[in-house]
Amino acid sequence: MLDALSAPLLAARTAELDAAAKVTYRLEQTFRYSYDAPVDDLRHRLVVMPPARHGDVHRRLATLTVSGVPARRHRRTDRRDRWGNETTDVHAPRVTDHVEFRLAAVLERVVGSGAVELPWARLRDARLLTATPLTAPDAAIVELAESLRRPENPLETAERVCSAVHAASPTATGRRRPAPPPPRRSAGGVGVCQDYAHVMIAVMRHLGIPTRYVSGHLIGQGGTHAWVDVVVPGNRADGGLGAVAVAFDPCNDKRAGAGHLTVAVGRDYTDVAPTSGSFSGPGVRGTLTSTRDLGVVSLSV
């Protein structure tokens, strides 16, 4: 697996990925904050580490490093949040001019090695059924949801909603959050992946179907990507009842496939923002630059 960190990337097409029995991916990502003067009491939260296992995707190798601040002057804490996402908290008493976070990971998808299984209680989880500020339905979303209401199973409903939200093209807003800007849910206009995800969540929750926001990566796209998990009843391998998460990408009007790699899940974007934090330094200005390199190292049919 160490070889995968330096192996050349393949020019794999989506159809090839979806048809492969085994795929190995390499993910490299950096976030660099530069300051025009020294800052104190830097506190930063990262949600960038892919899970050890998510359905049929397994994390084989991963490192997250902090540079720009001497190791003896920063403290790093790795933990899990209430959704099971792996998060990293960094505290540095002082940063002279910059701090950089670098992730390198090797992931492997083995088709048939498992669905995204959840506890049965997730089907009644109020957090996945209740609107949040970013998923509260306006009149247009309620109208869209009611037009899609049918006496059918949740997955059939999700298919219809995914296509309808894609066609509706959600709108982004100019309101800002430190990094990056927040999305808005609306039923018309031109939007980005976060907007499509929030609109689909708003519609699904209005229809009484538990749905969660997914932050991750899509091969072929430059930055992070967003889609949704629809939680539906399923059958565990032992024959008992359970729940499963089925992923839909309304931005691309499709179910998520082998090109999608999940990093974190939550109620909406605010639960899974890849990078956020604070520092002390009146008048100091900070600039964020980021890179991401994701590709396929190997695949087999």
Side-chain angles (χ1 to χ4, degrees), residues 40-79:
D40 298 317
D41 195 26
L42 176 80
R43 296 180 183 275
H44 214 85
R45 178 178 184 260
L46 297 165
V47 188
V48 298
M49 181 67 71
R53 178 173 179 179
H54 184 80
D56 59 3
V57 177
H58 306 254
R59 188 184 72 212
R60 298 306 189 191
L61 178 69
T63 60
L64 180 60
T65 58
V66 183
S67 61
V69 181
R72 67 179 181 277
R73 291 182 53 225
H74 81 261
R75 182 179 72 251
R76 171 181 154 183
T77 303
D78 299 310
R79 65 185 76 201

Side-chain angles (χ1 to χ4, degrees), residues 117-198:
E117 296 186 350
L118 301 171
W120 179 258
R122 283 290 184 267
L123 292 166
R124 302 184 301 275
D125 192 332
R127 299 172 299 176
L128 302 181
L129 290 164
T130 304
T132 65
L134 288 177
T135 63
D138 57 18
I141 290 178
V142 170
E143 181 180 359
L144 176 63
E146 291 301 329
S147 73
L148 298 170
R149 189 184 292 277
R150 300 285 190 282
E152 55 195 7
N153 70 52
L155 284 183
E156 290 174 340
T157 299
E159 295 279 2
R160 293 170 54 83
V161 171
C162 182
S163 294
V165 169
H166 175 80
S169 300
T171 300
T173 183
R175 292 180 302 164
R176 297 187 64 81
R177 173 181 295 137
R184 174 189 176 188
R185 357 47 81 253
S186 178
V190 178
V192 295
C193 58
Q194 292 97 335
D195 303 315
Y196 286 94
H198 283 134

Side-chain angles (χ1 to χ4, degrees), residues 207-269:
L207 295 175
I209 299 172
T211 311
R212 60 186 188 178
Y213 183 96
V214 182
S215 175
H217 301 282
L218 175 60
I219 287 182
Q221 181 172 308
T224 57
H225 192 54
W227 58 96
V228 306
D229 276 346
V230 177
V231 182
V232 299
N235 291 313
R236 297 202 308 262
D238 61 8
L241 290 175
V244 295
V246 182
F248 289 84
D249 183 350
C251 184
N252 292 295
D253 191 14
K254 60 186 288 187
R255 287 200 189 191
H260 294 73
L261 294 171
T262 292
V263 171
V265 300
R267 297 166 302 170
D268 61 23
Y269 171 85

Side-chain angles (χ1 to χ4, degrees), residues 110 116 216:
V110 181
V116 182

